[in-house]
Amino acid sequence: MKLRLKILLILVVLLVAASFQPTPTQAQNPATWTIMLYSTADTSDIELGMMLDINEVEFVGSTDQVQFVAQVDRTTADPSWTDARRFLLTQDGDWQVVNSPVIASLGEVNQGDPQTLTDFVLWAATTYPADHYALIMSDHGGGWTGFGWDQSDGDDALSMLELDQAFSAVTTTLGRKLDLVGFDACLMAQFDVIKLLAPYADYAILAEETEPAMGWAYDVTFPKLLANPTMTVADLGTEIVKDYVFSYAEGEWAAQGNDRFDLGIIDLAQAAAAEEAMTQFIGVVGANSGDVLSAMGDARNNALYFGGSTPDEAGYFSSIDLVHFLNLLIDLSENSAVDQAAQSLIDATDNLVVYHESSTALADSYGVSVYFPANDRVYQAYGGAVAYPQQVPFMAEWQNFLGVYYGTAATNVPVLAAEDAVSITGVFPGDVVSIHQPPVVVFNTNGQDIVEVSFSATLMLDETTAIMLDESPLESSEVGPDGEELIDFPDGFQSNEFTWGVEMPVITDGVVSIPTLLLFDRESEDTVIISGEYTPQGGEPLTAYLIFDMNTRSVISVWAISGTGSTPFNLTPNLGDQFLPTWRYLDENGEYVLVPADSDPLTFGAEPFTYHYEPAVSGDYILTIRMEDIAGNVYLSNAAVTVDNEGLDVNYRGYTDIAMGISFLYPWDWPTPTFYLDEEGGYEAIISDEESNINIYVIAYDGASDQDAYDTMIGYLESLEVDDLTYDEEAYEDVTVYGYPGTLLPYYFTIDGESHLGAVLSVYVPDLATSFVIDLDAVESMADEGDAVLNTMLGSITFFIPPEIE
């Protein structure tokens, strides 16, 4: 049962009062509303959620003013009934079984056939006439790719052309538009869908993002309609949106860490004006495509995208928020004509959206999305270049926009030799690495309109089997004119570095543990994703993705794909169901090759799956830098290393900084170090435990002597913004650090009344002409732990000449 029972209890009195039930087999005098529910529950992966929705509506029940009519087609998975049936949903408190009288048993029907939809809507309108008609369609949705995959009929779905056929037949026969069409389905708020619906309905309710399997909050919204049947269509739609978002924002869904959902009501009377504004925008961009190519690429690359819970399929849907893209384009473009056209399209889109609401993670969601593959390679790879014009010929102008964009990119962005585009110039300290001596990969990029650079580490099991155990996006960012941080890679030659921690993520059910790869969703800083194959007990396997909370490292939700071209849906695993991660590696063209993990599967049990990090398996690895530009050109550079983690103390890991020329050990479970330039011109690295109870600061200054180093240390101490700073210069200790003399000085201070102990070291390294100040402080209660960290660190420090100095 959905977690809205507190609200439902409040509504019981209202529902009891609405006790009139119309005769199900006879047409009534025209009601105020007839709500038609077209439920393609012949989809085993979300059938239970869709049947709960029907029970929710039945819990509300029809009255003489508001009639709820449903056609429900089920799968063979439910032995109680598997055919298609029509109901007038009468009030019933049973949340498990549909008890309303069956108006008609249709046998097995194909709900992916436009005639089936046409027949239902005309039957419902004729049998249950009303002043207002609302059609709500429930199942998987995929924007322009279609809606409603009927499992018993070969996964046949309603294409855009078939939906157009059905709606045309319905409105022609009725002689009027529908008041409202709603898709209780994923990813349907694309401009394509809005344009299709505009001739046939007054309003539409659509989601840009994927929807949870339980769908809309029917049990919360429809009692409001019963209480006020004369509410306007816009008001009803607004209530549906509000209740949907509230039900997930305040319920268990959000509590589990799921924060990607939205819904909006669209005024279809404004579609023509929006289409005109889009036509003008496309024309202006076409006339200025060379001037704004880079701006468009960066805007597309940073725009909010949808369907990211299944990252391998995100390119298939390639759905981004239209207004967010246009806002970014205005910020980045220096072409006033393009800016004005973009603003006009924003204004027209705003007029389309009566009311839209979203979760906090979708703050840049404005209610209307567009199909916009990142580059021509993606457009071609997923069949969009062929299928898109065929399925939505009425979007020819937008297809022309995509063609202009991809064509301009292909013309303006040169194809480079791989070694000229990206090259690994060195791996420090060498070709044998470990958790104590992590490799620093030094590489150069030299491209134009770069949209992605990433690092990967792949274990070579044999000549034909490989496992990518790390893939990290190497993001370059800048702050845009409106203050938004944007991913943006500079053109031309750039020298870069990346340090790999020589570790691997491992997923476990508590019994079986499997090395795997974490996929990062750029839209979320709090979750990571593991791809694989989900197999329910006695069922067929599905491509699936486990969503993990990065703080707890526990799985919080499972999303799946039932077949090629299907849309993402969330599922609830049962005890005993299994999951096998997918291993992957890059081929010579930079494309991903996916294979099932060579392991026993994980089994869902009482405790959720978790992941953790372990030292990477010893063996031969390929380190890769992958770069992709706006035109879809992909470049790779590889380096071979050997990992030797045998016999090492796994309580510590190495930190190597080739800018400072220093390396040392610090605790394994501490977060990744950060570094920056301080106000005095020193290069500073900061490493802390999770709660910042113990902190290490390493600062490098230009120096010429031991005295310089000592004076710098004293100046550093005096600059600390703490309370009751106390130290005694006579209490110093002479130490030797990697063969160099140094001075270690203890000190004490308080912050917010809490006592801290510290020790600061100064050492001058003539070979580097650098004075180092190394500071470790700890809260007094953790003095012993801090002392152990300091001793390990000092005993492991090495200095070296950085590669740039050689």
Side-chain angles (χ1 to χ4, degrees), residues 36 114 117-119 121-122 125 133 135 163-181 196-202 268:
M36 312 171 191
L117 174 60
T118 302
D119 291 344
V121 176
L122 292 178
Y133 293 120
L135 171 64
L163 286 169
D164 184 71
Q165 175 185 335
F167 287 129
S168 177
V170 164
T171 54
T172 298
T173 302
L174 293 180
R176 54 165 290 182
K177 292 182 178 181
L178 300 175
D179 294 84
L180 174 67
V181 172
L196 179 148
L197 292 175
Y200 307 123
D202 294 328
L268 295 173

Side-chain angles (χ1 to χ4, degrees), residues 300-357:
R300 165 59 183 83
N301 195 38
N302 286 276
L304 179 65
Y305 69 89
F306 306 101
S309 296
T310 55
D312 292 325
E313 284 72 31
Y316 180 84
F317 299 108
S318 291
S319 190
I320 67 168
D321 187 86
L322 174 59
V323 171
H324 190 218
F325 163 71
L326 295 169
N327 281 330
L328 291 170
L329 179 60
I330 292 172
D331 287 342
L332 297 169
S333 165
E334 297 181 357
N335 186 298
S336 60
V338 170
D339 294 349
Q340 291 172 9
Q343 186 60 56
S344 295
L345 181 50
I346 290 172
D347 295 341
T349 306
D350 287 343
N351 291 334
L352 263 179
V353 181
V354 177
Y355 183 78
H356 176 263
E357 196 170 331

Side-chain angles (χ1 to χ4, degrees), residues 115-410:
Q115 190 60 50
T116 305
L117 174 60
T118 302
D119 291 344
F120 166 66
V121 176
L122 292 178
W123 168 82
T126 302
T127 309
Y128 302 97
D131 299 328
H132 301 288
Y133 293 120
L135 171 64
I136 299 174
M137 303 175 66
S138 301
D139 191 33
H140 293 307
W144 70 268
T145 66
F147 162 84
W149 281 259
D150 191 312
Q151 184 173 308
S152 297
D153 290 277
D155 284 331
D156 190 20
L158 288 163
S159 68
M160 292 294 104
L161 293 178
E162 290 175 327
L163 286 169
D164 184 71
Q165 175 185 335
F167 287 129
S168 177
V170 164
T171 54
T172 298
T173 302
L174 293 180
R176 54 165 290 182
K177 292 182 178 181
L178 300 175
D179 294 84
L180 174 67
V181 172
F183 282 95
D184 190 354
C186 300
L187 304 170
M188 293 300 287
Q190 284 187 340
F191 195 92
D192 314 65
V193 178
I194 292 169
K195 186 175 178 180
L196 179 148
L197 292 175
Y200 307 123
D202 294 328
Y203 292 89
I205 300 178
L206 310 165
E208 290 190 272
E209 184 54 284
T210 51
E211 287 192 358
M214 292 185 297
W216 296 358
Y218 298 101
D219 53 332
V220 180
T221 303
F222 283 156
K224 299 175 184 178
L225 180 61
L226 265 60
N228 181 20
T230 60
M231 70 167 57
T232 66
V233 182
D235 287 343
L236 173 60
T238 299
E239 291 302 316
I240 290 173
V241 171
K242 288 180 178 179
D243 293 338
Y244 170 83
V245 173
F246 178 82
S247 69
Y248 293 111
E250 299 298 323
E252 184 179 351
W253 181 256
Q256 292 176 344
N258 300 287
D259 191 28
R260 293 182 67 86
F261 45 89
D262 82 294
L263 197 63
I265 178 170
I266 304 297
D267 182 357
L268 295 173
Q270 301 296 323
E275 181 182 357
E276 177 60 28
M278 176 173 280
T279 298
Q280 293 178 1
F281 168 75
I282 292 169
V284 173
V285 168
N288 297 273
S289 58
D291 291 342
V292 295
L293 175 65
S294 294
M296 281 200 298
D298 285 340
R300 165 59 183 83
N301 195 38
N302 286 276
L304 179 65
Y305 69 89
F306 306 101
S309 296
T310 55
D312 292 325
E313 284 72 31
Y316 180 84
F317 299 108
S318 291
S319 190
I320 67 168
D321 187 86
L322 174 59
V323 171
H324 190 218
F325 163 71
L326 295 169
N327 281 330
L328 291 170
L329 179 60
I330 292 172
D331 287 342
L332 297 169
S333 165
E334 297 181 357
N335 186 298
S336 60
V338 170
D339 294 349
Q340 291 172 9
Q343 186 60 56
S344 295
L345 181 50
I346 290 172
D347 295 341
T349 306
D350 287 343
N351 291 334
L352 263 179
V353 181
V354 177
Y355 183 78
H356 176 263
E357 196 170 331
S358 66
S359 59
T360 54
L362 300 182
D364 292 316
S365 167
Y366 293 89
V368 178
S369 61
V370 287
Y371 174 63
F372 196 165
N375 52 54
D376 189 56
R377 182 177 59 81
V378 175
Y379 193 42
Q380 300 288 342
Y382 289 98
V386 175
Y388 190 49
Q390 292 177 346
Q391 292 300 314
V392 283
F394 52 84
M395 290 294 291
E397 291 179 335
W398 184 255
Q399 293 154 18
N400 180 62
F401 166 81
L402 295 178
V404 169
Y405 175 66
Y406 300 142
T408 304

Side-chain angles (χ1 to χ4, degrees), residues 527-610:
T527 60
V528 291
I529 302 170
I530 293 177
S531 66
E533 185 177 81
Y534 166 81
T535 304
Q537 295 183 80
E540 295 298 319
L542 300 170
T543 298
Y545 299 83
L546 308 182
I547 314 299
F548 285 81
D549 183 286
M550 291 184 67
N551 296 314
T552 64
R553 296 185 176 179
S554 297
V555 65
I556 55 175
S557 62
V558 182
W559 288 80
I561 297 287
S562 59
T564 302
S566 182
T567 54
F569 64 93
N570 76 289
L571 58 83
T572 301
N574 295 312
L575 298 183
D577 293 349
Q578 295 185 324
F579 179 83
L580 184 66
T582 296
W583 286 346
R584 62 185 66 204
Y585 59 91
L586 292 172
D587 66 14
E588 60 183 9
N589 298 316
E591 301 294 339
Y592 294 96
V593 178
L594 279 62
V595 296
D598 184 13
S599 171
D600 293 333
L602 305 172
T603 302
F604 288 93
E607 297 298 322
F609 296 164
T610 60

Side-chain angles (χ1 to χ4, degrees), residues 602-626:
L602 305 172
T603 302
F604 288 93
E607 297 298 322
F609 296 164
T610 60
Y611 76 89
H612 60 274
Y613 285 95
E614 295 179 2
V617 174
S618 296
D620 295 328
Y621 285 74
I622 299 296
L623 308 184
T624 302
I625 301 296
R626 181 184 186 275

Side-chain angles (χ1 to χ4, degrees), residues 426-442 455 457 497-503 623 641-643 654 656 658:
V427 178
F428 189 88
D431 56 5
V432 179
V433 300
S434 69
I435 56 171
H436 286 185
Q437 290 188 311
V440 180
V441 181
V442 181
F455 164 87
E497 64 182 63
F498 179 79
T499 302
W500 178 43
V502 200
E503 61 187 3
L623 308 184
V641 298
T642 298
V643 169
T656 300
I658 62 174

Side-chain angles (χ1 to χ4, degrees), residues 730-765:
E730 300 300 322
Y732 71 87
E733 177 183 352
D734 290 327
V735 295
T736 300
V737 181
Y738 198 61
Y740 299 101
T743 301
L744 187 66
L745 184 64
Y747 67 97
Y748 312 88
F749 64 93
T750 61
I751 293 181
D752 297 330
E754 187 173 34
S755 298
H756 291 248
L757 310 178
V760 62
L761 168 74
S762 68
V763 58
Y764 172 64
V765 181

